[in-house]
């Protein structure tokens, strides 16, 4: 909130109550009208004509020497000199209403066309008959201008608040609340439809992408399962081939014998079965063929073997003495499946 100023404004003379209007689309400010002298009674005199105006470049305002261009307005019709007028910008043109010359109010309306820098006078219905000056105005919306205050030469304006309808060029006291037109409603409806359609399309595409991803994942899992089954089958096939390669080889004699009698493996199985049948039918042997061959001792009375003992030991035996004799068992099994046992009794000294 600081007030800055430039010491030099080329081409623009000192002015009292000039008219300034900013044109945002052209990035410039238009300076026109105003008076460059004051009378003895304090009334401005020697006011400028509107056939000449000045263009101030907005980009140069902050520089030490702002850029100002003088423009000579073309055409033959110009607003008369005035002060205390009111201007607004619409469609990049400048609208001007009323003002004073400088003490008599004016009742006219003008438009400055900035495209070719020409003036045109407009007829406005309902304009105050005595004219108006010293009033303030502002563009309320695209079609209505609010006018506040003013003086008609005899006193203040009878209407402290007025409304100018630009489209109809009418000065009224009624302000229309902006409403949505039919075109705007249609456009709004179309916009809603477009937005809803875009959201629906986005959701549809997202659902399709989700389904496609799920299908791809299922196909990938199925391919992985197929590869696993194939690997398992290859492993089983390799194992079977390995077992078949490790099958027992037949001897030359077996191959010769089996040339007319078939394979040796069935014969071997039958042979083993014969052994098992023989083991099941043979009465138990007093000596177990599976028991370890450890020495066992038996006590034999001397009476039945007295003559034998005397023969072995030269008749030196003692009657009634008990002698421990080690006994060794040997068990053999024939190829036919029968079992034979041999008992060896070794004598010992008394």
């Amino acid at each position: 909130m600081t007030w800055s100023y430039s010491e030099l404004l080329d081409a623009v003379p000192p002015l009292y109550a000039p008219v300034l209007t900013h044109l945002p689309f052209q990035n410039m400010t238009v300076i026109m009208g105003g008076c460059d002298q004051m009378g003895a009674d304090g009334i401005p005199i020697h006011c400028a004509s509107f056939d000449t105006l000045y263009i101030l470049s907005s980009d140069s305002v902050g520089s030490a020497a702002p850029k100002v261009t003088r423009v000579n307005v073309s055409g033959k019709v110009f607003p008369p000199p005035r002060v205390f007028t009111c201007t607004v910008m619409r469609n990049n043109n400048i609208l001007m209403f009323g003002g004073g010359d400088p003490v008599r109010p004016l009742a006219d309306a003008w438009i400055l066309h900035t495209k070719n820098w020409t003036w045109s006078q407009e007829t406005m219905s309902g304009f105050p008959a005595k004219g108006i000056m010293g009033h303030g105005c502002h563009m309320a919306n695209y079609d209505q201008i609010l006018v506040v205050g003013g003086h008609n030469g005899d006193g203040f304006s009878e209407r402290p608040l007025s409304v100018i309808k630009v489209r109809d060029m009418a000065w009224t006291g009624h302000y229309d609340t902006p409403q949505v037109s039919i075109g705007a409603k249609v456009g709004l409806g179309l916009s809603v439809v477009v937005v809803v359609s875009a959201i629906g399309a986005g959701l549809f595409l997202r659902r399709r992408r989700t389904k496609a991803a799920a299908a791809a994942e299922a196909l990938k899992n199925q391919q992985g399962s197929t590869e696993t089954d194939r690997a398992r089958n290859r492993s089983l096939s390799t194992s079977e081939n390995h077992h078949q390669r490790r099958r027992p080889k037949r001897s030359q004699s077996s191959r010769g014998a089996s040339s007319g009698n078939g394979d040796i493996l069935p014969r071997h199985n039958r042979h083993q079965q014969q052994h098992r049948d023989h083991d099941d039918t043979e009465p138990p042997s007093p000596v177990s063929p599976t028991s370890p061959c450890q020495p066992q001792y038996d006590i034999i009375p001397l009476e039945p073997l007295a003559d034998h003992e005397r023969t072995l030991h030269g008749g030196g035996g003692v009657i009634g003495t008990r002698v421990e004799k080690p006994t060794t068992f040997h068990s053999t099994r024939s190829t036919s499946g029968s079992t034979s046992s041999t008992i060896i009794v070794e004598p010992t000294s008394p």
Side-chain angles (χ1 to χ4, degrees):
M1 295 298 293
T2 58
W3 189 295
S4 60
Y5 62 95
S6 174
E7 296 181 356
L8 180 63
L9 191 62
D10 294 340
V12 180
L15 293 173
Y16 174 80
V19 178
L20 274 73
T21 305
H22 180 63
L23 303 178
F25 298 105
Q26 298 179 355
N27 197 28
M28 64 177 61
T29 299
V30 177
I31 305 172
M32 55 188 175
C35 303
D36 58 1
Q37 294 182 13
M38 296 292 291
D41 54 0
I43 298 177
I45 58 175
H46 198 253
C47 296
S49 174
F50 285 87
D51 59 352
T52 301
L53 51 86
Y54 304 91
I55 304 298
L56 172 63
S57 175
S58 300
D59 294 336
S60 66
V61 172
S63 63
K67 182 181 179 181
V68 179
T69 303
R70 180 173 175 171
V71 177
N72 294 322
V73 181
S74 60
K76 298 180 179 180
V77 179
F78 311 101
R82 68 191 63 198
V83 292
F84 313 133
T85 186
C86 167
T87 59
V88 295
M89 192 274 296
R90 180 178 184 271
N91 290 340
N92 213 37
N93 295 325
I94 299 176
L95 284 68
M96 184 171 64
F97 311 99
D101 64 349
V103 293
R104 186 175 59 89
L106 300 173
D108 55 0
W110 297 81
I111 297 179
L112 174 62
H113 305 276
T114 60
K115 185 176 181 180
N116 52 9
W117 298 113
T118 58
W119 284 100
S120 64
Q121 186 174 6
E122 302 294 330
T123 301
M124 181 175 293
S125 62
F127 203 96
K130 296 182 178 180
I132 189 172
M133 65 177 184
H135 54 293
C137 61
H138 178 73
M139 180 69 72
N141 54 53
Y142 185 77
D143 187 50
Q144 300 179 104
I145 300 174
L146 298 181
V147 180
V148 178
H151 198 278
N152 58 14
D154 297 333
F156 290 101
S157 175
E158 298 177 358
R159 296 179 178 179
L161 176 61
S162 301
V163 179
I164 299 176
K165 304 296 181 63
V166 180
R167 181 174 302 176
D168 300 331
M169 276 296 170
W171 189 297
T172 68
H174 178 70
Y175 179 79
D176 295 331
T177 303
Q179 297 181 357
V180 181
S181 62
I182 297 177
K185 292 179 180 179
V186 173
L188 180 60
L190 293 177
S191 301
V192 172
V193 172
V194 170
V195 171
V196 172
S197 301
I199 295 175
L203 294 176
F204 176 73
L205 293 177
R206 182 177 180 181
R207 185 176 181 181
R208 289 192 61 182
R209 286 196 296 267
T210 303
K211 289 185 177 180
E217 185 67 20
L219 180 60
K220 183 178 179 181
N221 295 335
Q222 183 178 2
Q223 292 177 352
S225 177
T226 304
E227 292 296 333
T228 303
D229 294 340
R230 290 178 180 175
R232 184 182 297 107
N233 293 336
R234 287 196 297 267
S235 177
L236 293 176
S237 177
T238 304
S239 177
E240 291 177 358
N241 294 335
H242 178 69
H243 285 297
Q244 291 178 1
R245 287 196 299 268
R246 294 188 60 183
R247 182 177 178 177
K249 295 183 178 180
R250 294 177 294 176
S251 62
Q252 294 293 338
S253 60
S254 300
R255 284 194 294 268
S258 63
S259 60
N261 300 327
D263 195 358
I264 192 63
L265 185 59
R267 296 179 60 193
H268 175 74
N269 293 337
R270 289 195 297 271
H271 185 66
Q272 294 293 331
Q273 185 64 33
Q274 291 176 1
H275 277 284
R276 288 191 291 271
D277 295 341
H278 179 76
D279 292 340
D280 295 337
T281 58
E282 185 180 5
S285 174
V287 181
S288 175
T290 59
S291 60
C293 297
Q294 296 180 355
Q296 298 183 4
Y297 301 92
D298 190 11
I299 301 177
I300 303 175
L302 293 180
E303 288 78 7
L305 298 178
D307 296 336
H308 179 68
E309 287 293 330
R310 284 193 293 269
T311 302
L312 292 177
H313 299 285
V318 178
I319 301 302
T321 304
R322 302 173 67 89
V323 181
E324 295 179 355
K325 298 181 181 297
T327 305
T328 303
F329 299 91
H330 295 278
S331 175
T332 61
R333 182 183 296 273
S334 66
T335 58
S336 62
S338 61
T339 303
S340 61
S341 302
T342 304
I343 304 175
I344 301 176
V345 180
E346 296 180 359
T348 58
S349 60

